[in-house]
Amino acid sequence: MEERRKSRRMDLEARLIVKRLDSDEKREVIINISDVSRTGVGFSCSDELELQAVYECRLTIWTKEVIHAFLQIVRANMGEVFHYGAVFIGMSEQDASRISVYEKFSEVNQEINQ
């Protein structure tokens, strides 16, 4: 399959909580991140989320800092567990840079360990 991502993806052990923005729905959903880049995130959860919907999120990164951003769901695979792909929208350049720093650190770490 052809790679269409704009940025390299990396695994990150973290969770984020999302809230639906365009409805009165107030529930929060905890999701498990499988990969993240400065442009988007892949994750799974037990709840069904709507394709193209925008959700608010608070992503706790490896430094324990919290990044506040918005996600738009662009891909969904349904099964026992739902797997999603989302792009960040409205993320500040500073927060995107935090993810880029980790990306560079991970690349160097992988080269050392090979």
Side-chain angles (χ1 to χ4, degrees):
M1 180 188 328
E2 178 186 343
E3 180 61 58
R4 297 184 317 190
R5 296 176 179 148
K6 293 179 183 176
S7 299
R8 185 180 160 275
R9 296 284 176 151
M10 65 198 121
D11 291 337
L12 175 66
E13 287 189 28
R15 298 185 313 167
L16 68 136
I17 299 172
V18 294
K19 293 188 295 185
R20 183 71 188 261
L21 291 183
D22 58 353
S23 75
D24 292 334
E25 185 179 7
K26 298 293 183 190
R27 71 184 173 97
E28 295 184 339
V29 177
I30 297 174
I31 66 175
N32 297 308
I33 297 174
S34 56
D35 57 71
V36 65
S37 76
R38 70 179 287 139
T39 57
V41 63
F43 62 91
S44 61
C45 69
S46 58
D47 293 56
E48 185 174 359
L49 304 175
E50 290 185 40
L51 196 59
Q52 300 303 318
V54 177
Y55 295 88
E56 179 180 11
C57 72
R58 297 191 182 275
L59 170 63
T60 303
I61 59 174
W62 50 95
T63 61
K64 304 301 179 206
E65 296 173 280
V66 177
I67 293 177
H68 180 250
F70 297 93
L71 297 176
Q72 181 175 25
I73 307 297
V74 295
R75 178 180 46 80
N77 294 325
M78 309 303 180
E80 286 183 31
V81 175
F82 300 98
H83 298 279
Y84 298 99
V87 293
F88 291 117
I89 55 175
M91 178 183 278
S92 72
E93 185 58 38
Q94 180 181 11
D95 287 339
S97 293
R98 290 178 184 167
I99 293 173
S100 292
V101 167
Y102 180 73
E103 183 178 44
K104 294 294 181 193
F105 176 77
S106 293
E107 287 173 3
V108 170
N109 221 10
Q110 285 178 347
E111 289 174 9
I112 291 171
N113 291 326
Q114 288 181 353

CSV table of all heavy atoms in Angstrom, one decimal, residues 60-105:
chain,number,residue,atom,x,y,z
A,60,THR,N,-1.8,13.6,26.7
A,60,THR,CA,-0.7,13.6,27.6
A,60,THR,C,0.5,13.0,26.9
A,60,THR,O,0.4,11.8,26.5
A,60,THR,CB,-1.0,12.8,28.9
A,60,THR,OG1,-2.2,13.4,29.5
A,60,THR,CG2,0.2,12.9,29.9
A,61,ILE,N,1.6,13.7,26.7
A,61,ILE,CA,2.7,13.2,26.0
A,61,ILE,C,3.8,12.7,26.9
A,61,ILE,O,3.6,12.7,28.1
A,61,ILE,CB,3.3,14.3,25.0
A,61,ILE,CG1,3.7,15.6,25.8
A,61,ILE,CG2,2.3,14.7,23.9
A,61,ILE,CD1,4.4,16.6,24.9
A,62,TRP,N,4.8,12.1,26.4
A,62,TRP,CA,5.9,11.5,27.1
A,62,TRP,C,6.5,12.3,28.2
A,62,TRP,O,7.1,11.8,29.1
A,62,TRP,CB,7.0,10.9,26.1
A,62,TRP,CG,7.4,12.0,25.2
A,62,TRP,CD1,8.4,12.9,25.3
A,62,TRP,CD2,6.7,12.4,24.0
A,62,TRP,NE1,8.4,13.8,24.3
A,62,TRP,CE2,7.3,13.5,23.5
A,62,TRP,CE3,5.5,12.0,23.4
A,62,TRP,CZ2,6.9,14.2,22.3
A,62,TRP,CZ3,5.1,12.6,22.2
A,62,TRP,CH2,5.8,13.7,21.7
A,63,THR,N,6.5,13.6,28.1
A,63,THR,CA,7.1,14.5,29.1
A,63,THR,C,6.1,14.9,30.2
A,63,THR,O,6.4,15.7,31.0
A,63,THR,CB,7.5,15.9,28.4
A,63,THR,OG1,6.4,16.5,27.8
A,63,THR,CG2,8.6,15.6,27.4
A,64,LYS,N,4.9,14.2,30.1
A,64,LYS,CA,3.8,14.5,31.0
A,64,LYS,C,3.1,15.8,30.8
A,64,LYS,O,2.3,16.2,31.6
A,64,LYS,CB,4.2,14.3,32.5
A,64,LYS,CG,4.8,13.0,32.8
A,64,LYS,CD,3.9,11.8,32.5
A,64,LYS,CE,4.6,10.5,32.8
A,64,LYS,NZ,4.1,9.4,32.0
A,65,GLU,N,3.5,16.5,29.7
A,65,GLU,CA,2.8,17.7,29.3
A,65,GLU,C,1.5,17.4,28.6
A,65,GLU,O,1.4,16.3,28.0
A,65,GLU,CB,3.6,18.6,28.4
A,65,GLU,CG,4.9,19.1,29.0
A,65,GLU,CD,5.8,19.7,27.9
A,65,GLU,OE1,6.5,19.0,27.2
A,65,GLU,OE2,5.8,21.0,27.9
A,66,VAL,N,0.5,18.3,28.7
A,66,VAL,CA,-0.8,18.0,28.1
A,66,VAL,C,-0.9,18.9,26.9
A,66,VAL,O,-0.7,20.2,27.0
A,66,VAL,CB,-1.9,18.2,29.1
A,66,VAL,CG1,-3.3,18.1,28.4
A,66,VAL,CG2,-1.8,17.3,30.3
A,67,ILE,N,-1.2,18.4,25.8
A,67,ILE,CA,-1.4,19.1,24.5
A,67,ILE,C,-2.9,19.2,24.3
A,67,ILE,O,-3.6,18.2,24.3
A,67,ILE,CB,-0.7,18.5,23.3
A,67,ILE,CG1,0.8,18.6,23.5
A,67,ILE,CG2,-1.2,19.1,22.0
A,67,ILE,CD1,1.6,17.9,22.4
A,68,HIS,N,-3.4,20.4,24.2
A,68,HIS,CA,-4.9,20.6,23.9
A,68,HIS,C,-5.0,20.8,22.4
A,68,HIS,O,-4.3,21.7,21.8
A,68,HIS,CB,-5.4,21.8,24.7
A,68,HIS,CG,-6.8,22.1,24.4
A,68,HIS,ND1,-7.3,23.2,23.7
A,68,HIS,CD2,-7.9,21.4,24.8
A,68,HIS,CE1,-8.6,23.1,23.6
A,68,HIS,NE2,-9.0,22.1,24.3
A,69,ALA,N,-5.8,20.0,21.8
A,69,ALA,CA,-6.0,20.1,20.3
A,69,ALA,C,-7.4,19.6,19.9
A,69,ALA,O,-8.2,19.2,20.8
A,69,ALA,CB,-4.9,19.3,19.6
A,70,PHE,N,-7.7,19.6,18.7
A,70,PHE,CA,-8.9,19.1,18.1
A,70,PHE,C,-8.6,18.1,17.1
A,70,PHE,O,-7.6,18.2,16.4
A,70,PHE,CB,-9.8,20.2,17.5
A,70,PHE,CG,-10.2,21.3,18.5
A,70,PHE,CD1,-9.4,22.4,18.7
A,70,PHE,CD2,-11.3,21.1,19.3
A,70,PHE,CE1,-9.7,23.4,19.6
A,70,PHE,CE2,-11.7,22.1,20.2
A,70,PHE,CZ,-10.9,23.2,20.4
A,71,LEU,N,-9.4,17.0,17.1
A,71,LEU,CA,-9.2,15.9,16.1
A,71,LEU,C,-10.4,15.8,15.2
A,71,LEU,O,-11.5,15.9,15.7
A,71,LEU,CB,-9.1,14.6,16.9
A,71,LEU,CG,-8.0,14.3,17.9
A,71,LEU,CD1,-8.1,13.0,18.6
A,71,LEU,CD2,-6.6,14.4,17.1
A,72,GLN,N,-10.1,15.5,14.0
A,72,GLN,CA,-11.2,15.2,13.0
A,72,GLN,C,-10.9,13.7,12.6
A,72,GLN,O,-9.9,13.4,12.1
A,72,GLN,CB,-11.2,16.1,11.8
A,72,GLN,CG,-12.3,15.7,10.8
A,72,GLN,CD,-12.4,16.7,9.7
A,72,GLN,OE1,-11.4,17.3,9.3
A,72,GLN,NE2,-13.6,16.8,9.1
A,73,ILE,N,-11.9,12.9,12.8
A,73,ILE,CA,-11.9,11.5,12.5
A,73,ILE,C,-11.9,11.3,10.9
A,73,ILE,O,-12.9,11.8,10.3
A,73,ILE,CB,-13.0,10.7,13.1
A,73,ILE,CG1,-13.1,10.9,14.6
A,73,ILE,CG2,-12.9,9.2,12.8
A,73,ILE,CD1,-11.9,10.5,15.4
A,74,VAL,N,-10.9,10.7,10.4
A,74,VAL,CA,-10.8,10.6,8.9
A,74,VAL,C,-10.8,9.2,8.4
A,74,VAL,O,-11.0,8.9,7.3
A,74,VAL,CB,-9.6,11.3,8.3
A,74,VAL,CG1,-9.7,12.8,8.5
A,74,VAL,CG2,-8.3,10.8,8.9
A,75,ARG,N,-10.6,8.2,9.4
A,75,ARG,CA,-10.6,6.8,9.0
A,75,ARG,C,-11.2,6.0,10.2
A,75,ARG,O,-10.9,6.3,11.3
A,75,ARG,CB,-9.2,6.4,8.7
A,75,ARG,CG,-9.0,4.9,8.4
A,75,ARG,CD,-7.5,4.6,8.1
A,75,ARG,NE,-6.6,5.1,9.0
A,75,ARG,CZ,-6.3,4.6,10.2
A,75,ARG,NH1,-6.9,3.5,10.6
A,75,ARG,NH2,-5.4,5.2,11.0
A,76,ALA,N,-12.0,5.0,9.9
A,76,ALA,CA,-12.5,4.1,10.9
A,76,ALA,C,-12.6,2.7,10.5
A,76,ALA,O,-13.0,2.4,9.3
A,76,ALA,CB,-13.9,4.6,11.3
A,77,ASN,N,-12.2,1.8,11.3
A,77,ASN,CA,-12.3,0.3,11.1
A,77,ASN,C,-13.1,-0.2,12.3
A,77,ASN,O,-12.6,-0.1,13.4
A,77,ASN,CB,-10.9,-0.3,11.0
A,77,ASN,CG,-10.1,0.1,9.8
A,77,ASN,OD1,-10.7,0.4,8.7
A,77,ASN,ND2,-8.8,0.2,9.9
A,78,MET,N,-14.2,-0.8,11.9
A,78,MET,CA,-15.1,-1.3,13.0
A,78,MET,C,-14.8,-2.8,13.2
A,78,MET,O,-14.5,-3.5,12.3
A,78,MET,CB,-16.6,-1.1,12.6
A,78,MET,CG,-16.9,0.3,12.1
A,78,MET,SD,-16.5,1.5,13.4
A,78,MET,CE,-17.0,3.0,12.6
A,79,GLY,N,-15.0,-3.2,14.5
A,79,GLY,CA,-14.8,-4.5,14.9
A,79,GLY,C,-15.2,-4.6,16.4
A,79,GLY,O,-16.0,-3.8,16.9
A,80,GLU,N,-14.6,-5.6,17.1
A,80,GLU,CA,-14.9,-5.6,18.5
A,80,GLU,C,-14.4,-4.4,19.2
A,80,GLU,O,-15.0,-3.8,20.1
A,80,GLU,CB,-14.2,-6.9,19.2
A,80,GLU,CG,-14.9,-8.2,18.8
A,80,GLU,CD,-14.3,-9.3,19.5
A,80,GLU,OE1,-13.7,-9.2,20.6
A,80,GLU,OE2,-14.3,-10.4,18.9
A,81,VAL,N,-13.2,-3.9,18.7
A,81,VAL,CA,-12.6,-2.6,19.1
A,81,VAL,C,-12.6,-1.7,17.9
A,81,VAL,O,-12.3,-2.2,16.8
A,81,VAL,CB,-11.2,-2.8,19.7
A,81,VAL,CG1,-10.6,-1.5,20.0
A,81,VAL,CG2,-11.2,-3.8,20.9
A,82,PHE,N,-12.9,-0.5,18.1
A,82,PHE,CA,-12.9,0.5,17.0
A,82,PHE,C,-11.5,1.1,16.8
A,82,PHE,O,-10.9,1.5,17.8
A,82,PHE,CB,-14.0,1.6,17.2
A,82,PHE,CG,-15.4,1.1,17.4
A,82,PHE,CD1,-15.9,0.9,18.6
A,82,PHE,CD2,-16.1,0.8,16.3
A,82,PHE,CE1,-17.2,0.4,18.8
A,82,PHE,CE2,-17.4,0.3,16.4
A,82,PHE,CZ,-18.0,0.1,17.6
A,83,HIS,N,-11.0,1.1,15.6
A,83,HIS,CA,-9.7,1.7,15.3
A,83,HIS,C,-10.0,2.9,14.4
A,83,HIS,O,-10.7,2.8,13.4
A,83,HIS,CB,-8.8,0.7,14.6
A,83,HIS,CG,-8.5,-0.5,15.4
A,83,HIS,ND1,-7.6,-0.5,16.4
A,83,HIS,CD2,-9.1,-1.7,15.4
A,83,HIS,CE1,-7.5,-1.7,16.9
A,83,HIS,NE2,-8.5,-2.5,16.3
A,84,TYR,N,-9.3,4.0,14.8
A,84,TYR,CA,-9.6,5.3,14.1
A,84,TYR,C,-8.3,5.9,13.7
A,84,TYR,O,-7.2,5.8,14.3
A,84,TYR,CB,-10.3,6.3,15.0
A,84,TYR,CG,-11.7,5.8,15.4
A,84,TYR,CD1,-11.9,5.2,16.7
A,84,TYR,CD2,-12.8,5.9,14.6
A,84,TYR,CE1,-13.1,4.7,17.0
A,84,TYR,CE2,-14.0,5.5,14.9
A,84,TYR,CZ,-14.2,4.9,16.1
A,84,TYR,OH,-15.4,4.4,16.5
A,85,GLY,N,-8.3,6.8,12.7
A,85,GLY,CA,-7.3,7.7,12.3
A,85,GLY,C,-7.9,9.1,12.3
A,85,GLY,O,-9.0,9.3,11.9
A,86,ALA,N,-7.1,10.0,12.8
A,86,ALA,CA,-7.6,11.4,13.0
A,86,ALA,C,-6.5,12.3,12.7
A,86,ALA,O,-5.3,12.0,12.9
A,86,ALA,CB,-8.2,11.6,14.4
A,87,VAL,N,-6.8,13.5,12.1
A,87,VAL,CA,-5.9,14.6,11.9
A,87,VAL,C,-6.1,15.6,13.0
A,87,VAL,O,-7.2,15.9,13.4
A,87,VAL,CB,-6.0,15.2,10.5
A,87,VAL,CG1,-5.6,14.1,9.4
A,87,VAL,CG2,-7.4,15.7,10.2
A,88,PHE,N,-5.0,16.2,13.4
A,88,PHE,CA,-5.1,17.4,14.3
A,88,PHE,C,-5.5,18.6,13.5
A,88,PHE,O,-5.0,18.9,12.4
A,88,PHE,CB,-3.7,17.7,14.9
A,88,PHE,CG,-3.2,16.6,15.9
A,88,PHE,CD1,-2.1,15.9,15.6
A,88,PHE,CD2,-3.9,16.3,17.0
A,88,PHE,CE1,-1.6,14.9,16.5
A,88,PHE,CE2,-3.5,15.4,17.9
A,88,PHE,CZ,-2.3,14.7,17.6
A,89,ILE,N,-6.5,19.3,14.1
A,89,ILE,CA,-6.8,20.6,13.5
A,89,ILE,C,-6.8,21.6,14.6
A,89,ILE,O,-7.1,21.3,15.8
A,89,ILE,CB,-8.2,20.6,12.8
A,89,ILE,CG1,-9.3,20.1,13.8
A,89,ILE,CG2,-8.3,19.7,11.6
A,89,ILE,CD1,-10.7,20.2,13.3
A,90,GLY,N,-6.3,22.8,14.3
A,90,GLY,CA,-6.2,23.8,15.3
A,90,GLY,C,-5.1,23.6,16.3
A,90,GLY,O,-5.1,24.2,17.4
A,91,MET,N,-4.1,22.7,16.0
A,91,MET,CA,-3.0,22.5,17.0
A,91,MET,C,-2.0,23.7,16.8
A,91,MET,O,-1.7,24.0,15.7
A,91,MET,CB,-2.3,21.2,16.7
A,91,MET,CG,-1.1,20.9,17.7
A,91,MET,SD,-0.3,19.4,17.3
A,91,MET,CE,-1.3,18.3,18.2
A,92,SER,N,-1.5,24.2,17.9
A,92,SER,CA,-0.5,25.3,17.8
A,92,SER,C,0.8,24.7,17.3
A,92,SER,O,1.1,23.5,17.4
A,92,SER,CB,-0.3,25.9,19.2
A,92,SER,OG,0.4,25.0,20.0
A,93,GLU,N,1.5,25.6,16.7
A,93,GLU,CA,2.8,25.2,16.1
A,93,GLU,C,3.8,24.7,17.2
A,93,GLU,O,4.6,23.8,17.0
A,93,GLU,CB,3.5,26.4,15.3
A,93,GLU,CG,4.8,26.0,14.6
A,93,GLU,CD,4.6,24.9,13.6
A,93,GLU,OE1,3.6,24.8,13.0
A,93,GLU,OE2,5.6,24.0,13.5
A,94,GLN,N,3.6,25.3,18.4
A,94,GLN,CA,4.5,24.9,19.5
A,94,GLN,C,4.2,23.5,19.9
A,94,GLN,O,5.1,22.7,20.2
A,94,GLN,CB,4.2,25.9,20.7
A,94,GLN,CG,5.0,25.5,21.9
A,94,GLN,CD,4.8,26.4,23.1
A,94,GLN,OE1,3.8,27.2,23.1
A,94,GLN,NE2,5.6,26.3,24.1
A,95,ASP,N,2.9,23.1,20.0
A,95,ASP,CA,2.5,21.7,20.3
A,95,ASP,C,3.0,20.8,19.3
A,95,ASP,O,3.4,19.7,19.5
A,95,ASP,CB,1.0,21.6,20.6
A,95,ASP,CG,0.6,22.3,21.9
A,95,ASP,OD1,1.5,22.5,22.8
A,95,ASP,OD2,-0.5,22.6,22.1
A,96,ALA,N,2.8,21.1,18.0
A,96,ALA,CA,3.3,20.3,16.9
A,96,ALA,C,4.8,20.1,17.0
A,96,ALA,O,5.3,19.0,16.7
A,96,ALA,CB,2.8,20.9,15.5
A,97,SER,N,5.5,21.1,17.4
A,97,SER,CA,6.9,21.0,17.5
A,97,SER,C,7.3,20.1,18.6
A,97,SER,O,8.3,19.4,18.5
A,97,SER,CB,7.5,22.4,17.8
A,97,SER,OG,7.4,23.2,16.6
A,98,ARG,N,6.5,20.0,19.7
A,98,ARG,CA,6.8,19.1,20.8
A,98,ARG,C,6.8,17.6,20.2
A,98,ARG,O,7.6,16.8,20.6
A,98,ARG,CB,5.8,19.2,21.9
A,98,ARG,CG,5.9,20.5,22.7
A,98,ARG,CD,4.9,20.5,23.7
A,98,ARG,NE,4.9,21.8,24.4
A,98,ARG,CZ,4.0,22.2,25.2
A,98,ARG,NH1,2.9,21.5,25.4
A,98,ARG,NH2,4.1,23.4,25.8
A,99,ILE,N,5.8,17.3,19.4
A,99,ILE,CA,5.8,16.0,18.8
A,99,ILE,C,6.9,15.8,17.8
A,99,ILE,O,7.5,14.7,17.8
A,99,ILE,CB,4.4,15.8,18.1
A,99,ILE,CG1,3.3,15.8,19.1
A,99,ILE,CG2,4.4,14.5,17.3
A,99,ILE,CD1,1.9,15.8,18.6
A,100,SER,N,7.3,16.8,17.1
A,100,SER,CA,8.5,16.7,16.2
A,100,SER,C,9.8,16.4,16.9
A,100,SER,O,10.6,15.6,16.5
A,100,SER,CB,8.6,17.9,15.3
A,100,SER,OG,7.6,18.1,14.4
A,101,VAL,N,9.9,17.0,18.1
A,101,VAL,CA,11.1,16.8,18.9
A,101,VAL,C,11.2,15.3,19.3
A,101,VAL,O,12.2,14.6,19.2
A,101,VAL,CB,11.2,17.7,20.1
A,101,VAL,CG1,12.2,17.2,21.1
A,101,VAL,CG2,11.4,19.1,19.7
A,102,TYR,N,10.1,14.8,19.7
A,102,TYR,CA,10.0,13.3,20.1
A,102,TYR,C,10.3,12.5,18.9
A,102,TYR,O,11.0,11.5,19.0
A,102,TYR,CB,8.7,13.0,20.7
A,102,TYR,CG,8.6,11.5,21.1
A,102,TYR,CD1,9.3,11.1,22.2
A,102,TYR,CD2,7.9,10.6,20.4
A,102,TYR,CE1,9.3,9.7,22.6
A,102,TYR,CE2,7.8,9.3,20.7
A,102,TYR,CZ,8.5,8.9,21.8
A,102,TYR,OH,8.5,7.5,22.2
A,103,GLU,N,9.8,12.9,17.7
A,103,GLU,CA,10.0,12.1,16.5
A,103,GLU,C,11.5,12.0,16.2
A,103,GLU,O,12.0,10.9,15.9
A,103,GLU,CB,9.3,12.8,15.4
A,103,GLU,CG,9.3,12.1,14.0
A,103,GLU,CD,8.5,12.8,13.0
A,103,GLU,OE1,8.6,14.1,12.9
A,103,GLU,OE2,7.8,12.1,12.3
A,104,LYS,N,12.2,13.1,16.3
A,104,LYS,CA,13.7,13.2,16.0
A,104,LYS,C,14.4,12.3,17.1
A,104,LYS,O,15.3,11.6,16.8
A,104,LYS,CB,14.2,14.6,16.1
A,104,LYS,CG,13.7,15.4,14.9
A,104,LYS,CD,14.2,14.9,13.6
A,104,LYS,CE,13.7,15.8,12.5
A,104,LYS,NZ,13.8,15.2,11.2
A,105,PHE,N,14.0,12.4,18.3
A,105,PHE,CA,14.6,11.7,19.4
A,105,PHE,C,14.4,10.2,19.1
A,105,PHE,O,15.4,9.4,19.3
A,105,PHE,CB,14.0,12.1,20.7
A,105,PHE,CG,14.5,11.2,21.9
A,105,PHE,CD1,15.7,11.5,22.5
A,105,PHE,CD2,13.7,10.2,22.4
A,105,PHE,CE1,16.2,10.7,23.5
A,105,PHE,CE2,14.1,9.5,23.5
A,105,PHE,CZ,15.4,9.7,24.0
